[in-house]
Amino acid sequence: MASSIPLNTNVELGVVPTHIKFVGGLVPDENGRLPRGDDGELVVVAEMAKLTAASPVKIQSAQVTAFPGVDAGDTDDLMKGLRALDLEVHIIMMVGGADPMNPADEDAVVEMLVAGIEVAKKYGITQIASTSIEEWLKPGATPKTGADFDAAVAQNVKAHCRAAREADIANSSVETWHIEFLRKGEFQTFNSIAKCWEFVKAANIEYGSKLFKIMVDAAHCGDSELNIPENEALIAQVAEAGEMGMFHASSKTTRGCLSTDDGWIGALLAAAAKTGKLEYVFVELFHHEDDALQGLRDLDPGHGIDTRDGRTYTETVIDGVVEVTHRLNNLVKRGILKN
């Protein structure tokens, strides 16, 4: 490490290692085994080791995917491997093949969510997240509005609160469940802060505490129908209600180098910092040739653009970590974020 850049705030800075690809990096095989390199090391752990060794900023955490049915030994190796790198571990619970808005799929959705929560409980994880309020890129899906939207919110509340109670979150290590909405097209209905908040508000009322919070992902905000000022205003309102969660520094459309986001990360990160409620920030890039994301490239060819400008993905992520660190440090200097 040629130089060291301090992070001058107690905001936790981490990485979501999606740049290693879902296929070949994150997704388990048919036997539930996670991808490993030729040396036998888990691909996720090997990449986080490279990042932590090369970054001039201390990377404090990793937010990793948790798929149902992963081999218990591999999950153990994942957790131990990341913690050996002095990383806090957070998980994103993956739900697929079922529609959370459909009462007929409730049992399947709850089963997958409970499986993820049980992983968090086993390893003492405090922060869990999921994109579990709608089925990703569902063929033929159309936006739900009016009474249909209200029904979708109600069914999501029922499923998520049921999962939280069946897994006994109240008596576990889990403190917060961060709900991520996705861009328009990936999700047809819950594709903005405003729409996601309708679920989070209702779920917290039903559950009886502020367990659920909204993940503010700059990329999804940028690709929603709301402009920057509208998102800034909503961030302030959500935080005031105690329902703002972690922040993803990720570029709209390309999901690549943070230089391609046209100002969204800077604006929304500052808005989140102004609330005084910002606790977790993650840098997240996606690989432009990931086989698992062909559907996203079909939705928007911009997702398939190589934004590395001659760098490796590891180097591009490190550049993102450095950029976000400078942003956070300068928010401190300007009195917007606490030291």
Side-chain angles (χ1 to χ4, degrees):
M1 193 181 297
S3 61
S4 180
I5 304 171
L7 179 63
N8 297 325
T9 173
N10 60 1
V11 172
E12 183 178 297
L13 179 60
V15 167
V16 186
T18 42
H19 62 283
I20 64 174
K21 298 183 179 180
F22 280 91
V23 175
L26 299 170
V27 177
D29 64 18
E30 63 276 8
N31 297 314
R33 305 308 298 267
L34 294 173
R36 294 180 184 265
D38 293 337
D39 60 356
E41 187 172 21
L42 291 173
V43 173
V44 180
V45 175
E47 177 61 14
M48 289 308 305
K50 286 171 61 178
L51 287 170
T52 54
S55 174
V57 179
K58 177 174 172 52
I59 297 172
Q60 297 168 292
S61 56
Q63 188 179 36
V64 294
T65 51
F67 289 89
V70 171
D71 178 83
D74 281 2
T75 298
D76 204 49
D77 287 349
L78 175 64
M79 297 298 170
K80 289 179 178 177
L82 293 173
R83 285 172 171 168
L85 297 171
D86 193 27
L87 292 168
E88 193 72 29
V89 182
H90 309 289
I91 62 170
I92 306 173
M93 304 184 298
M94 307 304 288
V95 174
D99 181 359
M101 299 184 289
N102 184 352
D105 287 352
E106 181 180 322
D107 288 347
V109 170
V110 170
E111 182 179 359
M112 287 183 276
L113 290 173
V114 169
I117 296 167
E118 291 298 337
V119 170
K121 289 167 57 179
K122 180 177 179 179
Y123 292 97
I125 291 169
T126 64
Q127 308 298 313
I128 62 175
S130 63
T131 55
S132 53
I133 50 176
E134 189 167 338
E135 191 171 358
W136 184 64
L137 287 176
K138 184 178 181 181
T142 56
K144 295 184 184 298
T145 59
D148 289 338
F149 178 81
D150 294 341
V153 169
Q155 179 56 37
N156 263 310
V157 168
K158 184 181 178 187
H160 286 74
C161 289
R162 176 184 158 191
R165 289 171 177 141
E166 288 188 8
D168 197 20
I169 277 184
N171 295 302
S172 76
S173 59
V174 177
E175 298 172 357
T176 306
W177 186 342
H178 304 263
I179 300 294
E180 182 176 11
F181 65 92
L182 300 185
R183 61 172 291 165
K184 196 171 184 179
E186 290 186 79
F187 279 4
Q188 300 299 330
T189 297
F190 293 100
N191 47 30
S192 71
I193 286 184
K195 294 171 185 173
C196 184
W197 196 17
E198 292 304 310
F199 161 73
V200 168
K201 283 188 288 189
N204 283 335
I205 291 171
E206 166 61 25
Y207 190 68
S209 76
K210 300 287 186 177
L211 171 67
F212 298 97
K213 295 188 179 181
I214 299 174
M215 180 189 295
V216 180
D217 186 304
H220 300 315
C221 291
D223 283 316
S224 76
E225 73 237 17
L226 304 178
N227 60 30
I228 287 178
E230 289 169 331
N231 275 283
E232 289 172 324
L234 278 165
I235 286 169
Q237 293 169 36
V238 170
E240 179 65 24
E243 293 172 329
M244 185 187 80
M246 52 184 55
F247 186 94
H248 274 190
S250 194
S251 294
K252 74 182 188 73
T253 307
T254 69
R255 308 306 304 276
C257 178
L258 301 196
S259 64
T260 68
D261 82 322
D262 301 329
W264 282 83
I265 293 171
L268 299 194
L269 184 60
K274 288 174 183 176
T275 69
K277 304 287 181 66
L278 182 64
E279 295 182 273
Y280 304 93
V281 176
F282 293 91
V283 172
E284 182 185 40
L285 277 67
F286 288 81
H287 197 294
H288 68 288
E289 294 178 325
D290 190 340
D291 290 342
L293 301 179
Q294 183 59 50
L296 189 47
R297 293 192 291 276
D298 293 341
L299 174 68
D300 189 333
H303 190 80
I305 297 173
D306 183 354
T307 64
R308 293 173 294 172
D309 204 20
R311 296 163 292 176
T312 65
Y313 266 102
T314 300
E315 292 168 337
T316 311
V317 169
I318 290 172
D319 284 348
V321 170
V322 170
E323 177 185 329
V324 170
T325 300
H326 287 311
R327 288 189 180 279
L328 291 170
N329 285 345
N330 283 314
L331 287 166
V332 172
K333 287 281 188 180
R334 292 152 60 198
I336 295 171
L337 192 64
K338 288 184 179 180
N339 190 324

